[in-house]
Amino acid sequence: MEFSAVIVAAGASTRAGPGLAKPWRDLAGRPVIAWSIEALAGAGATRIVVVTTADRREDAAALLAGLPSPQVVIGGASRADSVQAGLAALDAGDDTPVLIHDAARPFVPRACIEALLAALGDHDGAIPGLPLADTLKRASPLIEETVPREGLWRVQTPQAFRLGRLRAAYAALRPGTEPTDDASVVEANGGRVVVTPGDPMLMKLTYPEDFAMAERLAGAARITRIGQGVDAHRWGPGDAVWLCGVRIDHDQTLIGHSDADAGLHALTDAILGAIGAGDIGEHFPPSDPQWKGAASDRFLLHAVEILTNRGGRLLNADVTLVCERPKIRPHRDAMRARLAELLGLPLDRISVKATTTEGMGFTGRQEGLLAQAVVAVETPA
């Protein structure tokens, strides 16, 4: 089921101690909010709105780059104001499912999202929750009473609603009311909200000590995948060849439907393979005339976009070119620089190597060129 998402990241984070606001603090090398964006995008969000402060507008836009229908809006004085600003920015129908999520909950399991969306079929809202396991005491700090925990839930975000129903509930909210979550707004408007299974990983980062726990959990929330790609093309008449996005003057060219850049083709297949998204021929069939002579960087950027839309990111890329000629070493730095530009990676995460087969096989006989590529990507678990 397609859905929209609003990520609220405009709070002051006063309980988190000195330093940056919680959504922008570092968690395993990335801002906390980046984890939420990637998880929601990876689960299929077709629109994502980030509600943040004016000084973080550009940072939020950079994290959303490449995602479908990204938007950044400035939050209000309260959480309710910020949520309403996010809802107003959504260009979608009233029946569209919308997930409201607090950026301070970075680990969003896909199973939780699927359960929320499924529950919307019979209810006005759905929220993830965990039954309370600890004994509850009312104290000040002297204990006054033990509070029965039966029927009590610890609720989390994201919380799911139909867009029109949530907008109407907020419009009817009594002035001066400051709800702590969106479900209470719908409940106050007569809506039926159900609790779906939550997850301990959906912890909220509130106090300084929470960040130490989150660092330990970060490794379990993401997985690393490896992809491999191989491509080969015949030599034919020509005066230049494209390899890894760089034009090299040569007394022959590689024959192919596109520009026959074997390096970029192998790299594209490696990325698609790492995420189980088929191969380059499925996405860009050689039988389709629109790809005749096309620049292969379009294929590579398409694969990167698929990876990004699934909440993933590329970690590094290693390309090996197998040929007798042309000599690759004089062009290697230019190739690495071009790949780094296309992939948005630091130069030290890009490798381009070359080897020969000592005269053996079709590359040794100079009948063609072979390219191999290996990538590592990181995706939600």
Side-chain angles (χ1 to χ4, degrees), residues 231-237 241 250-256 260 262 322-326 357-371:
D231 192 51
H233 287 279
R234 299 190 319 274
W235 288 114
V241 60
H250 191 49
D251 58 5
Q252 289 182 300
T253 192
L254 291 174
I255 304 301
V322 184
C323 59
E324 300 292 330
R325 294 187 311 129
T357 56
E358 301 292 339
M360 298 179 292
F362 73 90
T363 60
R365 294 189 298 270
Q366 301 189 44
E367 296 170 1
L369 178 145
L370 176 74

Side-chain angles (χ1 to χ4, degrees), residues 83-375:
V83 171
Q84 291 180 84
L87 294 175
L90 283 174
D91 181 17
D94 285 349
D95 287 337
T96 302
V98 58
L99 268 58
I100 311 298
H101 184 56
D102 293 328
R105 296 183 187 270
F107 308 126
V108 188
R110 189 185 186 103
C112 284
I113 294 175
E114 292 172 349
L116 290 168
L117 295 175
L120 279 185
D122 301 314
H123 303 88
D124 297 306
I127 62 177
L130 296 171
L132 292 176
D134 298 320
T135 297
L136 300 180
K137 302 285 186 180
R138 178 173 283 112
S140 60
L142 186 67
I143 295 174
E144 299 171 3
E145 65 172 319
T146 299
V147 180
R149 66 188 179 213
E150 286 73 26
L152 296 180
W153 295 78
R154 178 162 59 91
V155 300
Q156 305 168 315
T157 71
Q159 300 185 353
F161 311 90
R162 298 288 179 182
L163 179 56
R165 187 69 178 85
L166 185 56
R167 280 175 171 166
Y170 265 109
L173 189 65
R174 186 160 44 89
T177 303
E178 294 198 10
T180 58
D181 76 344
D182 308 288
S184 59
V185 178
V186 175
E187 294 162 30
N189 192 239
R192 296 170 61 251
V193 181
V194 66
V195 177
T196 60
D199 194 301
M201 286 289 289
L202 261 175
M203 63 178 292
K204 184 177 182 181
L205 306 183
T206 303
Y207 301 105
E209 56 268 26
D210 294 336
F211 286 84
M213 175 67 75
E215 284 288 344
R216 292 193 289 271
L217 293 173
R222 307 280 290 182
I223 60 174
T224 300
R225 304 172 182 230
I226 306 299
Q228 180 185 26
V230 178
D231 192 51
H233 287 279
R234 299 190 319 274
W235 288 114
D239 58 4
V241 60
W242 284 92
L243 290 172
C244 294
V246 174
R247 186 182 187 276
I248 301 172
D249 291 334
H250 191 49
D251 58 5
Q252 289 182 300
T253 192
L254 291 174
I255 304 301
H257 188 65
S258 62
D259 63 7
D261 188 327
L264 293 191
H265 292 182
L267 190 51
T268 300
D269 261 351
I271 295 172
L272 294 173
I275 55 175
D279 59 42
I280 192 171
E282 295 178 44
H283 294 265
F284 304 97
S287 57
D288 191 335
Q290 69 172 312
W291 307 122
K292 184 173 178 59
S296 295
D297 55 8
R298 296 174 61 182
F299 308 157
L300 180 62
L301 293 175
H302 176 75
V304 172
E305 182 180 15
I306 294 174
L307 171 64
T308 302
N309 289 346
R310 294 188 180 187
R313 65 182 184 126
L314 187 65
L315 299 179
N316 74 295
D318 182 12
V319 179
T320 300
L321 302 173
V322 184
C323 59
E324 300 292 330
R325 294 187 311 129
K327 296 300 182 185
I328 301 302
R329 183 183 293 269
H331 309 284
R332 186 171 57 190
D333 289 345
M335 292 178 181
R336 293 180 66 214
R338 179 58 177 155
L339 292 180
E341 178 186 7
L342 289 170
L343 299 173
L345 289 178
L347 194 61
D348 65 357
R349 296 193 192 180
I350 302 291
S351 173
V352 175
K353 309 187 300 294
T355 188
T356 72
T357 56
E358 301 292 339
M360 298 179 292
F362 73 90
T363 60
R365 294 189 298 270
Q366 301 189 44
E367 296 170 1
L369 178 145
L370 176 74
Q372 297 178 311
V374 177
V375 301

Side-chain angles (χ1 to χ4, degrees), residues 15-33:
R15 292 177 292 177
L20 297 175
K22 291 184 294 185
W24 302 102
R25 296 193 184 186
D26 183 88
L27 176 59
R30 288 176 294 146
V32 167
I33 189 174

